[in-house]
Amino acid sequence: MKKRFNTTGVCIPTMHYMVDITDKLDKIIELIKEKDYFIINRPRQYGKTTTMYMLEQRLKNDYLVVSMSFEGIGDEVFLKEKTFSKVFIELMAESLEFTNEEESKRLLGYENDIDNLRDLSKLITRFVRDSKKDVILFIDEVDKNSNNQLFLSFLGMLRNKYLLRKQGKDKTFSSVILAGVYDIRNLKLKFRNEDEKKYNSPWNIAVDFDIDMKFNEKEIESMLKEYSSEKNVIMNTRNIAQLLYRYTSGYPFLVTRICKIIDEKLNKENLEWTEEYIIKANKILLSERNTLFEDLIKNVENNEELKDYIFDLIMNGEEKSFNLDNPIINLGNVFGYFINKDGKVKISNRIFEQRLY
């Protein structure tokens, strides 16, 4: 099977041209070795799912990795504790079915004993205690149901088990990694006592995840070198990588999308890659409809304050100080539209700036 540039779904090294993210994976694995809990919160199409997949491949020999996604499981799952708890165990079992069938069957054997989150907690304790390896939990698309009280209670349960484990009073997942757009540490969970008016974050146990997920020039060049070698395409990989970074600021989808356009639409005869190709591909990209741009337009059109703020930046040329305490700046930062440049708010890359203009 010939490799290609991929901008939909998870990237597989044997199928797709990919940047070398070894350095990023090494840093994440250090957090896992410390038994930390954290969330990879980054904008849409920023390589979160691919990073989780690559992590699983690196860790599966030393850990029992349970990897699942909350995307597409429906809202009804989150209406009752019994339903959610059973589905959660089924998702765990499905994840292990092709990597450790014995452990998958062991999990399903516990399923009939679950009626609520308390039972789920006990099952997790039992499963982890009897496992031969440390168990790691990955949950992708975690913010799909982050406004659901049952989901927040589930996070609160994992948080409580983590704290008890540190005191030697429980067994639970060695590390839990959640992936999504929003930082769910900011979500609030009401205590069960209705008279208690305080709120507490269900995920305030998470350590900071400050690993830079965008592609740098060296990483982009690693993908170009592999591509040019396999396709016998002549290019100055360093210069092309610099050009790609100049346009995209390393936004993973944009980098790969430009390469895909050049490869499949502009350079079918495998000629030398030049700056002219980058410019032409950029124009094609800006004129097309894709999921990233559709998401950008939806987010801006649905938030009048954000729209006005971007208008002032781009059309009026206003300078604004970067401060994440400002909810509009924070929202633009979460979506990946704003960056902090010398203390000022700037649009994160040239392509977004042109598309928003």
Side-chain angles (χ1 to χ4, degrees):
M1 180 183 294
K2 292 183 178 180
K3 285 189 177 183
R4 58 187 175 86
F5 292 105
N6 179 49
T7 54
T8 56
V10 64
C11 291
I12 311 295
T14 56
M15 299 172 59
H16 306 125
Y17 295 113
M18 296 173 57
V19 304
D20 183 355
I21 59 170
T22 300
D23 288 346
K24 301 184 195 303
L25 296 177
D26 287 343
K27 292 175 181 177
I28 298 173
I29 289 172
E30 284 303 310
L31 297 177
I32 292 171
K33 287 180 178 178
E34 293 294 325
K35 300 179 183 273
D36 286 329
Y37 284 28
F38 54 93
I39 177 168
I40 303 176
N41 61 294
R42 293 295 184 272
R44 299 287 181 208
Q45 296 184 289
Y46 219 83
K48 298 184 294 294
T49 301
T50 296
T51 299
M52 301 277 267
Y53 169 78
M54 296 294 288
L55 275 175
E56 183 177 357
Q57 301 311 301
R58 285 274 301 269
L59 296 167
K60 63 183 181 181
N61 291 330
D62 298 320
Y63 296 87
L64 189 63
V65 182
V66 178
S67 180
M68 65 178 71
S69 173
F70 277 175
E71 186 173 34
I73 64 173
D75 296 332
E76 290 188 6
V77 170
F78 295 88
L79 296 179
K80 296 181 180 179
E81 288 190 18
K82 182 174 183 177
T83 304
F84 172 81
S85 299
K86 285 183 174 293
V87 169
F88 182 78
I89 293 304
E90 289 170 2
L91 289 173
M92 286 183 65
E94 288 173 8
S95 171
L96 294 171
E97 184 176 358
F98 294 102
T99 58
N100 196 315
E101 188 176 1
E102 182 180 339
E103 292 289 58
S104 177
K105 290 180 178 178
R106 183 162 72 90
L107 258 176
L108 291 176
Y110 300 149
E111 189 178 13
N112 293 330
D113 300 329
I114 302 177
D115 288 315
N116 49 50
L117 289 180
R118 182 173 175 80
D119 291 339
L120 177 60
S121 175
K122 291 178 180 179
L123 187 154
I124 291 171
T125 298
R126 185 178 172 188
F127 179 74
V128 170
R129 183 192 62 208
D130 296 340
S131 176
K132 297 176 182 177
K133 299 178 181 178
D134 284 346
V135 185
I136 301 173
L137 175 65
F138 293 170
I139 306 180
D140 199 5
E141 301 292 350
V142 74
D143 47 11
K144 294 289 183 181
N145 290 281
S146 59
N147 62 341
N148 186 288
Q149 182 60 45
L150 177 52
F151 172 68
L152 298 185
S153 297
F154 164 70
L155 289 184
M157 179 265 285
L158 290 181
R159 171 183 176 272
N160 187 56
K161 293 181 71 63
Y162 169 87
L163 294 174
L164 289 173
R165 184 195 73 184
K166 298 198 79 167
Q167 301 171 46
K169 298 178 180 179
D170 201 352
K171 296 284 187 180
T172 189
F173 300 110
S174 174
S175 188
V176 177
I177 300 93
L178 311 179
V181 173
Y182 299 95
D183 186 349
I184 60 174
R185 289 181 300 178
N186 297 325
L187 300 175
K188 302 300 180 183
L189 172 68
K190 191 172 183 179
F191 290 129
R192 288 186 179 276
N193 184 352
E194 292 300 324
D195 295 329
E196 178 62 74
K197 300 302 182 181
K198 293 180 181 179
Y199 285 73
N200 196 20
S201 167
W203 212 241
N204 59 9
I205 55 173
V207 300
D208 291 335
F209 184 83
D210 54 8
I211 296 168
D212 191 352
M213 296 285 285
K214 70 176 182 289
F215 298 157
N216 59 43
E217 292 178 9
K218 182 180 177 182
E219 291 168 337
I220 296 171
E221 188 179 6
S222 70
M223 177 172 65
L224 297 176
K225 283 182 175 178
E226 181 189 17
Y227 168 79
S228 62
S229 175
E230 289 195 8
K231 300 276 293 240
N232 294 317
V233 172
I234 298 172
M235 75 169 81
N236 185 322
T237 54
R238 178 172 296 182
N239 288 348
I240 296 298
Q242 290 173 345
L243 285 169
L244 285 168
Y245 188 83
R246 188 187 305 168
Y247 277 92
T248 66
S249 297
Y251 200 111
F253 173 87
L254 298 176
V255 171
T256 309
R257 185 62 190 159
I258 288 177
C259 291
K260 186 176 179 69
I261 290 171
I262 296 174
D263 177 57
E264 298 180 3
K265 295 184 178 182
L266 301 177
N267 191 26
K268 294 182 179 180
E269 298 179 0
N270 291 346
L271 302 175
E272 180 180 0
W273 279 32
T274 63
E275 182 174 0
E276 183 180 0
Y277 279 131
I278 305 293
I279 295 171
K280 287 182 178 179
N282 181 51
K283 290 180 180 179
I284 292 173
L285 173 60
L286 286 168
S287 66
E288 72 178 11
R289 293 184 64 181
N290 58 57
T291 53
L292 181 62
F293 288 166
E294 288 175 356
D295 202 54
L296 180 150
I297 292 167
K298 177 193 69 177
N299 289 334
V300 173
E301 291 293 345
N302 289 345
N303 192 311
E304 200 66 30
E305 288 183 279
L306 179 62
K307 184 177 181 180
D308 291 342
Y309 195 95
I310 291 174
F311 186 90
D312 286 341
L313 284 175
I314 295 177
M315 303 302 293
N316 297 333
E318 290 190 13
E319 283 203 346
K320 298 175 181 287
S321 297
F322 191 93
N323 183 353
L324 291 178
D325 289 335
N326 182 322
I328 299 302
I329 297 175
N330 185 57
L331 185 64
N333 183 69
V334 166
F335 289 152
Y337 308 153
F338 297 160
I339 57 170
N340 181 355
K341 187 173 182 180
D342 301 323
K344 302 296 182 183
V345 180
K346 300 294 181 184
I347 303 299
S348 59
N349 60 72
R350 290 172 64 176
I351 292 175
F352 277 178
E353 187 169 15
Q354 291 175 73
R355 190 66 182 86
L356 287 164
Y357 182 86

